[in-house]
Amino acid sequence: MFFLFEKIGDYTLYYLEYAGRITNFLFQCLGRIITPPYRIFPVIQQINFIGARSVFVIFFTGGFTGMVLALQGYYTLRKFGSEGLLGSAVALSLLRELGPVMAALMVIGRAGSSITAEIGIMRNSEQIDALECMAVDPLRYLVVPKFIAMIISLPLLTAIFDVVGIFGGYLVGSLMLGVNGGTYFQGMYQSVDWNDIEMGLVKSLVFGLMIVWISTAKGYFLHSERSGGFGAEGVSRTTTSAVVLASVTVLVWDYLLSAIML
Amino acid sequence: MIEENKFDCPVVIELAGVEKSFADQQVLAGVDLRVCEGTTTVIVGGSGQGKSVILKHMLGLVRPDAGQISIFGRDIAKASAGELKDVRRDFGVLFQNVALFDSMTIFDNVALPLRERTAFGSQQVKARVEELLQMMDLPGAGSKYPAQLSGGMQKRVGLARALALNPKIVFFDEPTTGLDVHKSNEMYRLFHHTQARVGYTAVIVSHDVPKIFKLSDHVALLANGVIQGQLTPEEFQRSENPLIREFVETTMGPIYSSEREESALQ
């Protein structure tokens, strides 16, 4: 019985401490973003890695998401005889929900995981200690460029996802299923307003921050992981848990933001 | 029986009563150590005694449970991150596993402290890195990655990186472990050569007894969580502290007997 209490207390203390540590980490990183020295080149490098190199996968998934939305939407709408609403159905689902969420999940898989693994390996092999001992701030050097790059890249990737998705929907809805192209775009034009775009933009900014926070913090504090962040297995376990945690966080925040902004 | 420190010189590093425990295990139980400016102090001791832990305390990577660690007169045991960064500006460190940035070339590894900490232009950085690589007998290795170099070469790159900014104190954690006799001698030669040139204070954690004695001004034995004595190499070999005697005899053989023992034998 006491064993159980001890265990609960132990877990609680550990997670409280961890939460405190990563919150402190977040504020330290945000503080360093807004204070000089500002460095452009590392940020561009990271935008290339997180953003530019994700474009292909975003293009592909965005296209197919739009296509399947049109396909499913068409058969549902046809039951009510309102195929004309297909354009607005596809556009609104993409702009408000699927665009930000799917783009975020893709970026977690492609970039978030590698950020955790990269920083985690640097922590394990004392490379972060080496930076500290050279009086080079590891947060400013390693983490801050990733923060800025992710916050810039994810909204842009989301925008690409939305546009490609809308054209994917047009491809299936209009060219394959015979909905009038003009109707598809006219419906969209009438039903989408700035609030929908704003909602997608706010979501992708928040998701970007969450993803980069979780993936960098998990790697940075690899050595204090409860499951033991040692060696290759420690890095792989921590990377997995960062991906899972970031994905869950994105979906939870998606609900919260929708509830607040609708 | 712990022998007194008896130096009369400008002290740059001073540890006083440093204690540290990990979980339930006490590793350091009141470590006292002084390092004089421009000298070489070697910390020796059995494996797992906590030699690297002492080094990590001096680097500010680990905070002590109790005691003071003053470097250039500033206590880093309680220093803020900013103060610590300030103190570390004068540090150069060669880690036990070298800790090179494995996804950067050798050139970028050595250039990193120059790019981050100085206002050097790219030509100046290039010139300085080439000079350092030349000094370490590594010309032309700049475009390679750490994994493409041998262990000995990696250590030399580590030394080049540590010396890039002409530090005042250089810390060496097991600089020759894993190297054969020739490579170790090469490391010692480079160490001797660079110290003569730059004039840094050196703190070395090493297993390589007795060879390391030749390079050191003071030798300190860590055993049972305390420094058993910080002495010149000659004094160390003649010390009557039973732990130091035992260490000397097991690592060097009972060739340096004390006068007392010799008279007993006669």
Side-chain angles (χ1 to χ4, degrees), chain A residues 77-124:
Chain A
L77 289 169
R78 201 173 62 169
K79 288 183 189 161
F80 309 104
S82 41
E83 296 97 319
L85 292 174
L86 187 64
S88 51
V90 169
L92 286 177
S93 329
L94 278 171
L95 288 170
R96 286 181 177 182
E97 288 296 331
L98 285 172
V101 172
M102 293 290 289
L105 294 179
M106 287 298 133
V107 169
I108 290 170
R110 217 200 65 82
S113 55
S114 70
I115 289 173
T116 308
E118 179 193 334
I119 297 182
I121 288 170
M122 291 187 78
R123 168 62 75 190
N124 255 354

Side-chain angles (χ1 to χ4, degrees), chain B residues 177-197:
Chain B
T177 301
L179 303 183
D180 67 25
V181 182
H182 298 293
K183 300 275 163 50
S184 309
N185 288 344
E186 173 68 8
M187 270 313 277
Y188 290 134
R189 189 186 66 73
L190 286 169
F191 163 72
H192 191 69
H193 174 70
T194 55
Q195 197 188 27
R197 222 166 121 167

Side-chain angles (χ1 to χ4, degrees), chain B residues 131-202:
Chain B
E131 179 197 355
L132 284 159
L133 291 180
Q134 192 77 45
M135 203 202 293
M136 298 298 149
D137 298 329
L138 289 164
S143 58
K144 291 189 175 156
Y145 284 88
Q148 295 172 309
L149 300 186
S150 70
M153 287 164 94
Q154 287 185 14
K155 296 241 180 199
R156 279 182 277 156
V157 176
L159 186 56
R161 188 179 68 176
L163 297 178
L165 294 166
N166 289 328
K168 290 191 185 133
I169 309 176
V170 184
F171 299 90
F172 298 82
D173 195 355
E174 308 274 6
T176 56
T177 301
L179 303 183
D180 67 25
V181 182
H182 298 293
K183 300 275 163 50
S184 309
N185 288 344
E186 173 68 8
M187 270 313 277
Y188 290 134
R189 189 186 66 73
L190 286 169
F191 163 72
H192 191 69
H193 174 70
T194 55
Q195 197 188 27
R197 222 166 121 167
V198 184
Y200 53 77
T201 306

